[in-house]
Amino acid sequence: KNKTYILKLSSVQTLPQLLAHTENVLSYQDCLSLTRTLGNQMTFLERNKNTIVSFDMTNIIVINNDVFLYMDFDGVYDIQDDNTILIDTPLKPTIFFSPEARSITTLPSVIHKNTWNYSLALIVGFSLTNNPFIYTHHTMETHKSTLEMIEDTSLYFCLLRCLHKKPEKRMFLF
């Protein structure tokens, strides 16, 4: 049997459009939703041996102001048996690149599959604070300082785990 589903959406916009209507910051609750929905999408991809390198804000679609969907899967890579991804075409640079993605200078290159974790944490941190230091100064001290407004919360610890300096130690645990 064919089933018909009807979706009623009050709004569909990109993340930058939403931020423009919220003084360029999201509430803590919205950042929880952003983290959970994007993290769950990436976890699903990983279960199927795929991943992305980085998020781009313009490709995050916000439905009804609380569901965040990443909609650019041109940059989906296969996860190799050693938990790496082979980068064999030029990447579209974003300000939310992980340090290892930012350091790619030759092709082909190999980076750890957990590069997306870092990118997610940068997008969430920026959406929460509107502070460019979150993506320009890649030190744990800077990240902790930038995120001190949510210190001792589950979101804070999730983001710090995603921002670990060593990609193989990064994890999305929320």
Side-chain angles (χ1 to χ4, degrees):
K1 272 184 173 177
N2 288 338
K3 292 186 178 182
T4 302
Y5 295 95
I6 298 173
L7 296 174
K8 292 186 180 186
L9 308 176
S10 61
S11 69
V12 177
Q13 58 193 325
T14 64
L15 182 55
Q17 289 169 329
L18 176 63
L19 285 168
H21 295 357
T22 59
E23 299 181 16
N24 292 316
V25 294
L26 294 181
S27 71
Y28 178 79
Q29 290 302 319
D30 288 341
C31 286
L32 286 174
S33 182
L34 174 64
T35 304
R36 186 173 19 278
T37 57
L38 292 183
N40 287 343
Q41 288 173 71
M42 294 306 106
T43 301
F44 177 80
L45 272 179
E46 282 187 347
R47 276 193 221 123
N48 291 288
K49 300 295 280 174
N50 298 113
T51 192
I52 64 168
V53 171
S54 178
F55 290 97
D56 181 341
M57 289 180 89
T58 59
N59 293 322
I60 297 173
I61 305 301
V62 186
I63 300 171
N64 296 343
N65 293 330
D66 66 352
V67 175
F68 299 84
L69 297 174
Y70 191 67
M71 300 300 292
D72 179 23
F73 291 103
D74 289 335
V76 173
Y77 294 86
D78 293 330
I79 299 174
Q80 308 301 310
D81 290 338
D82 62 353
N83 287 328
T84 62
I85 52 178
L86 176 66
I87 308 298
D88 55 1
T89 58
L91 295 171
K92 177 184 167 194
T94 76
I95 57 175
F96 302 107
F97 264 1
S98 66
E100 62 274 12
R102 197 176 297 273
S103 69
I104 293 175
T105 57
T106 60
L107 296 175
S109 287
V110 175
I111 59 175
H112 198 275
K113 71 176 181 75
N114 290 347
T115 189
W116 73 264
N117 299 64
Y118 201 95
S119 182
L120 173 65
L122 293 181
I123 284 208
V124 173
F126 180 74
S127 297
L128 183 67
T129 66
N130 193 28
N131 187 338
F133 284 109
I134 194 77
Y135 58 78
T136 58
H137 295 81
H138 297 281
T139 66
M140 190 54 74
E141 293 75 30
T142 302
H143 295 317
K144 286 180 179 180
S145 172
T146 304
L147 298 170
E148 69 184 351
M149 65 178 12
I150 60 165
E151 193 172 19
D152 295 331
T153 64
S154 60
L155 181 59
Y156 176 80
F157 292 113
C158 175
L159 296 180
L160 291 186
R161 283 189 291 274
C162 289
L163 290 165
H164 199 286
K165 184 176 183 175
K166 294 181 180 180
E168 63 278 3
K169 294 197 175 205
R170 292 181 199 142
M171 68 174 71
F172 178 75
L173 180 60
F174 192 61

